[in-house]
Amino acid sequence: MGKGQNEGGFSEDQLQMYKDCFKLMDINKDGQLDKNDLRGAFDNVGVLMSEGELDGLLGEIGGACTYDNMVKMFQEKMAGEGNDSDDLIVQAFKAYDQEGKIDSKMFQHALMTWGDKMTKAEIDDIFGEFEIDEDYMIKTKDIVGLFVAVKEEVKVEEPAAVVEEAAPAEDEDADAKKKKKKKKAAK
């Protein structure tokens, strides 16, 4: 279990985000999402859902769609066999990697062409999360970080090495010269 995560694998920030989203979707503020709440939430983002689709979503919860049941369902889905492993997802992104960056145009084409095809609106939403440089490249680690829980590297600062310098040994010739200068000055 990573730093800041509860036993379900979600960080406190993620749980807060789910709670905030739940509150936004709970239009009638009764603490439970029903078909009308879901319909309104999807309408707000421009997605029209059929009665069957709404029933299917609510059926995935397995009981009343409360915040706790919703989070439990997310946990079960994320732990399920139907999800790709993080390593497989990282490998997929690495296939597009060019010296630590991914060509945004090529990546966009791939997302709209293969697999679960994304819409232009979905692409615009996701690409809004990335910093794209003047060559239309995105840092691979930024993309991977959006799709996979990236483990933070703990930086251990090593104490600065104490370097002891030995006092330079004075040259015997230098001592002799100093003595000669002192004798001349005394004269």
Side-chain angles (χ1 to χ4, degrees):
M1 187 164 44
K3 180 180 176 188
Q5 294 183 340
N6 62 21
E7 66 277 353
F10 295 124
S11 70
E12 292 303 318
D13 289 342
Q14 288 171 314
L15 290 173
Q16 187 59 51
M17 179 191 65
Y18 292 149
K19 190 173 284 188
D20 293 342
C21 289
F22 186 89
K23 286 179 183 176
L24 287 172
M25 291 189 295
D26 187 15
I27 296 169
N28 61 10
K29 307 297 180 212
D30 65 352
Q32 145 174 344
L33 300 181
D34 59 22
K35 215 184 296 190
N36 290 327
D37 292 328
L38 287 179
R39 182 179 292 110
F42 281 103
D43 286 350
N44 283 334
V45 294
V47 177
L48 298 176
M49 301 288 286
S50 70
E51 291 291 314
E53 290 171 320
L54 294 170
D55 289 335
L57 285 174
L58 288 171
E60 289 183 38
I61 300 291
C65 187
T66 62
Y67 167 75
D68 290 334
N69 285 345
M70 184 180 77
V71 169
K72 181 180 174 192
M73 185 259 312
F74 289 159
Q75 290 169 335
E76 289 170 358
K77 285 198 170 286
M78 290 181 74
E81 296 300 314
N83 292 324
D84 293 326
S85 71
D86 287 355
D87 288 339
L88 181 63
I89 294 169
V90 169
Q91 286 178 350
F93 288 123
K94 293 286 185 185
Y96 293 95
D97 183 87
Q98 301 169 16
E99 298 176 11
K101 294 185 177 184
I102 292 176
D103 182 309
S104 64
K105 301 286 186 189
M106 183 176 58
F107 186 51
Q108 181 176 344
H109 174 75
L111 292 173
M112 295 177 78
T113 306
W114 298 297
D116 293 334
K117 296 171 185 68
M118 298 181 96
T119 66
K120 176 74 171 130
E122 290 171 323
I123 295 291
D124 291 343
D125 186 39
I126 288 174
F127 276 61
E129 299 289 320
F130 303 132
E131 188 175 315
I132 302 174
D133 69 17
E134 65 276 355
D135 295 326
Y136 301 101
M137 301 296 278
I138 306 167
K139 291 180 182 173
T140 303
K141 68 176 185 158
D142 293 346
I143 295 173
V144 170
L146 184 65
F147 290 95
V148 175
V150 178
K151 295 174 185 167
E152 293 180 24
E153 293 180 20
V154 179
K155 293 183 180 177
V156 178
E157 290 187 30
E158 294 182 23
V162 178
V163 178
E164 291 185 34
E165 292 185 19
E170 288 199 29
D171 198 359
E172 289 180 21
D173 289 336
D175 285 339
K177 289 179 183 175
K178 285 181 188 176
K179 289 180 183 176
K180 284 183 182 176
K181 283 185 183 178
K182 286 183 184 176
K183 286 180 183 178
K184 285 184 182 178
K187 289 185 180 178

